[in-house]
């Protein structure tokens, strides 16, 4: 078995709290070779020694043999992993300085977040909490621990049970974009206001609607309705009922009615829908959620002003997957677990495959990721120790990607017109502000005197590759 596959299986076993099995697997394959793979082997063994055997001295003995400067040049990700476990091991040694350890832990956390390695980022948050405990900063320690727990709760692994008791609340998404969506839904869900989910195809609008339904009306029906370009009269009959059919509206009574692509519904049917939303009706759904692939800006500028006027107060923008890359490892673990038969072991993912999944553009969004993993798991689940490696991914996922911290796409030479020059100037100004605000749309828009929607529109028009922005968070050191 290749070393990369062995490492992937070891990571999976660690997630299942099988540290003894990991030690038996990795100790025989550890050599003195100065390769990134061997450095990761030592980092994983150090993790076992530190967390499962409470032996920081042995953990450091594995790591001090690594040539960190050379590793930094060869594989920065592996170097960050080694530095992190070294810092945490030193933190647990009484002579270690908590301030120095905290700085090293935070540097590793930035590297993990940049590489969208959220499980490692969660461990870095726990190490940060431990450092703040040593510094007698209970509030900061609690914040770091709470962030780690929120990430672990999304992982379908037993390691979550090691850091916090199970919670009945919906865990927070790792990405800032989806946490903002969840916060808005929490505000809106207490009412029966009709909601509008705007987002690209495959962004997960219907899944979000199902999740909302399960949290608030789990015993009631969830009915989805899609207009199929038939006549307006037929659409009315399917939606509101006829002599032969009660219709989706009545079928969803007391539950949730989800309307796919409401902008495709004939204007007359939309008008009757809005009238019904206002009228008292004992057979109406408890919650109506409409989805659209069009952005809120498109709705405002197009022939769909009635949609925004009626459903705007309950509008929620669902970001595309490329704008929430921190969620990709969590989604991947979830899909792999869902597609694995109960009697089969879950597949592990090599570091190379995980990086390719995190850096792909995903034009088909969450649906494309789901389909990709379903295809792979279907072919792998019969193996005794299934591993998803780079070669198992579709060809377009295996192509070389630019570094993750590149914000700007290559700019074509301007033709020299005033419009071209103004566009380049505007582009540079927006990129500069985005960098200053760490890619945060709301604060960047405020600094530029724009609305969030207005800034998104300019980003799209100017071809700014916001999805490649490196999101680096500055953490307080006192």
């Amino acid at each position: 078995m290749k070393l990369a596959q062995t490492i992937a299986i070891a990571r999976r076993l660690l997630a299942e709290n099988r540290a003894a099995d990991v030690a038996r697997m990795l100790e025989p394959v550890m050599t003195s070779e100065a390769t990134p793979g061997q450095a990761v082997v030592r980092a994983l063994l150090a993790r076992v020694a530190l967390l499962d055997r409470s032996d920081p001295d042995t953990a450091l003995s594995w790591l001090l043999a690594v040539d960190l400067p050379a590793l930094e040049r060869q594989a920065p990700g592996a170097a960050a992993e080694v530095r992190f476990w070294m810092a945490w091991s030193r933190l647990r040694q009484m002579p270690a300085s908590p301030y120095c350890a905290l700085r090293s832990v935070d540097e590793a956390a930035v590297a993990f977040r940049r590489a969208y390695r959220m499980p490692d980022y969660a461990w870095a948050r726990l190490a940060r909490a431990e450092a703040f405990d040593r510094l007698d900063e209970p509030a900061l320690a609690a914040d770091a621990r709470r962030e780690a727990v929120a990430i672990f709760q999304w992982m379908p692994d037993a390691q979550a049970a090691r850091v916090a008791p199970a919670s009945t609340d919906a865990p927070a998404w790792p990405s800032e974009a989806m946490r903002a969506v969840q916060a808005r839904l929490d505000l809106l869900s207490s009412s029966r206001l009709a909601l509008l989910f705007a987002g690209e195809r495959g962004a997960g609008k219907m899944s979000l609607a199902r999740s909302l339904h399960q949290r608030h009306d789990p015993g009631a029906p969830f009915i989805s309705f899609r207009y199929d370009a038939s006549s307006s009269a037929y659409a009315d009959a399917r939606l509101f009922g006829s002599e032969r059919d009660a219709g989706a509206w009545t079928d969803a009574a007391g539950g949730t009615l989800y309307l796919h692509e409401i902008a495709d519904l004939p204007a007359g049917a939309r008008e009757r829908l809005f009238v019904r939303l206002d009228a008292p009706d004992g057979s109406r759904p408890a919650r109506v959620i409409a989805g659209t692939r069009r952005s809120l800006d498109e709705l405002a500028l197009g022939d769909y002003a009635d949609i925004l006027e009626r459903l705007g107060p309950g509008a929620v923008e669902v970001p595309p997957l490329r704008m929430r890359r921190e969620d990709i490892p969590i989604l991947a673990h979830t899909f792999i677990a869902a597609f694995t038969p109960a009697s089969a072991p879950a597949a592990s993912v090599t570091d190379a495959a995980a990086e390719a999944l995190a850096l792909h553009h995903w034009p088909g969004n969450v649906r494309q990721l789901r389909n990709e993993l379903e295809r792979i798991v279907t072919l792998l689940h019969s193996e005794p120790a299934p591993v998803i490696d780079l070669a198992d991914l579709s060809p377009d996922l295996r192509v070389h990607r630019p570094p993750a911290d590149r914000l700007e796409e290559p700019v074509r030479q301007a033709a020299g017109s005033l419009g071209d020059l103004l566009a380049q100037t505007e582009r540079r100004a927006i990129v500069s502000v985005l960098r200053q605000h760490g890619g945060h749309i709301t604060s960047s828009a405020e600094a530029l005197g724009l609305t969030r929607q207005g800034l998104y529109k300019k980003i799209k028009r100017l071809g700014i590759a916001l999805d490649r922005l490196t999101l680096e968070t500055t953490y307080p050191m006192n």
Side-chain angles (χ1 to χ4, degrees):
M1 183 181 296
K2 294 181 179 179
L3 185 59
Q5 295 176 326
T6 301
I7 290 172
I9 294 173
R11 291 192 191 279
R12 182 72 191 186
L13 293 176
L14 284 172
E16 296 172 354
N17 297 334
R18 296 170 60 183
D21 292 335
V22 170
R24 283 193 293 268
M25 174 187 294
L26 294 185
E27 285 175 359
V29 303
M30 185 178 67
T31 69
S32 59
E33 295 179 53
T35 63
Q38 285 296 326
V40 172
V41 167
R42 289 176 177 273
L44 294 178
L45 286 171
R47 171 178 164 176
V48 171
L50 181 67
L51 298 185
D52 296 277
R53 298 175 181 171
S54 299
D55 188 354
D57 294 330
T58 299
L60 280 173
S61 71
W62 296 123
L63 300 173
L64 290 175
V66 177
D67 184 353
L68 270 174
L71 184 62
E72 190 71 56
R73 293 190 296 270
Q74 290 180 286
E81 193 167 0
V82 170
R83 289 185 189 277
F84 167 63
W85 292 107
M86 187 179 293
W88 201 352
S89 298
R90 284 175 170 159
L91 178 65
R92 291 198 172 180
Q93 289 184 324
M94 292 307 295
S97 167
Y99 288 105
C100 292
L102 181 60
R103 184 176 297 277
S104 296
V105 165
D106 280 350
E107 288 173 354
V110 170
F112 294 148
R113 189 177 182 90
R114 182 188 299 138
Y116 310 107
R117 292 172 54 173
M118 298 312 291
D120 288 327
Y121 178 76
W123 285 116
R125 298 294 82 199
L126 286 178
R128 190 167 201 263
E130 190 169 319
F132 279 129
D133 285 336
R134 291 276 299 275
L135 292 169
D136 196 23
E137 293 283 358
L140 295 175
D143 287 343
R145 194 167 283 112
R146 195 160 35 242
E147 187 179 358
V149 170
I151 297 172
F152 278 132
Q153 282 181 314
W154 276 109
M155 307 298 291
D157 301 324
Q159 65 186 12
R162 299 178 55 178
V163 296
S167 172
T168 57
D169 297 330
W173 285 95
S175 70
E176 182 181 350
M178 282 304 292
R179 287 202 301 270
V181 168
Q182 191 61 59
R184 179 156 176 77
L185 283 178
D186 289 342
L187 290 174
L188 295 172
S189 61
S190 59
S191 72
R192 292 304 181 179
L193 186 69
L195 305 181
L196 174 65
F197 288 177
E200 296 178 6
R201 292 182 185 274
K205 299 184 292 293
M206 186 172 175
S207 296
L208 199 60
R210 285 189 181 276
S211 175
L212 185 64
H213 171 79
Q214 288 299 321
R215 286 181 62 190
H216 296 279
D217 306 292
F222 181 94
I223 304 297
S224 63
F225 173 87
R226 185 187 298 275
Y227 175 64
D228 56 7
S230 54
S231 68
S232 179
Y234 182 61
D236 267 7
R238 290 183 57 232
L239 182 54
F240 300 119
S242 64
E243 294 180 358
R244 298 181 178 180
D245 185 8
W249 182 269
T250 302
D251 289 342
T256 299
L257 174 63
Y258 181 76
L259 303 167
H260 295 264
E261 298 300 343
I262 190 172
D264 293 345
L265 199 65
R270 292 205 303 265
E271 182 179 353
R272 286 183 283 278
L273 169 67
F274 298 150
V275 169
R276 291 225 179 185
L277 285 176
D278 292 327
D281 183 356
S283 65
R284 65 161 288 174
R287 192 183 308 276
V288 175
I289 304 175
T292 178
R293 64 183 178 278
R294 293 170 172 82
S295 68
L296 298 182
D297 284 337
E298 288 180 280
L299 295 178
L301 299 175
D303 298 326
Y304 312 105
D306 59 326
I307 298 176
L308 206 56
E309 179 181 351
R310 184 60 183 81
L311 303 179
V316 178
E317 287 191 278
V318 182
L321 189 55
R322 62 184 175 276
M323 301 294 292
R324 43 178 294 209
R325 293 183 183 276
E326 298 96 326
D327 299 334
I328 290 176
I330 310 300
L331 291 167
H333 278 279
T334 302
F335 291 144
I336 290 171
F339 297 135
T340 302
S343 59
S348 305
V349 183
T350 65
D351 292 345
E355 182 180 9
L357 290 174
L359 295 181
H360 188 60
H361 191 64
W362 297 112
N365 291 298
V366 179
R367 183 184 298 138
Q368 182 186 1
L369 174 64
R370 182 184 187 278
N371 292 343
E372 173 74 10
L373 291 172
E374 183 175 18
R375 177 189 65 79
I376 295 172
V377 172
T378 300
L379 300 175
L380 287 176
H381 70 77
S382 61
E383 298 181 10
V387 176
I388 297 175
D389 203 355
L390 194 61
D392 298 308
L393 305 183
S394 297
D396 61 325
L397 269 70
R398 301 197 298 264
V399 298
H400 174 70
R401 298 289 175 187
D405 59 351
R406 283 188 54 194
L407 175 61
E408 301 183 61
E409 299 280 6
V411 181
R412 295 190 179 94
Q413 290 293 326
S417 68
L418 179 60
D420 292 330
L421 294 175
L422 290 175
Q424 288 196 6
T425 301
E426 184 181 24
R427 191 175 192 278
R428 284 195 293 269
I430 291 176
V431 166
S432 176
V433 172
L434 285 168
R435 281 178 173 150
Q436 291 173 16
H437 292 267
H440 191 272
I441 294 296
T442 300
S443 59
S444 298
E446 290 176 354
L448 290 165
L450 300 170
T451 64
R452 291 180 72 253
Q453 292 81 6
L455 180 55
Y456 270 124
K457 189 174 182 180
K458 287 180 180 292
I459 288 170
K460 183 176 181 181
R461 175 171 61 82
L462 296 171
I464 298 172
L466 183 63
D467 58 301
R468 292 176 185 169
L469 175 64
T470 299
L471 298 176
E472 295 191 7
T473 307
T474 302
Y475 304 105
M477 298 298 294
N478 52 16

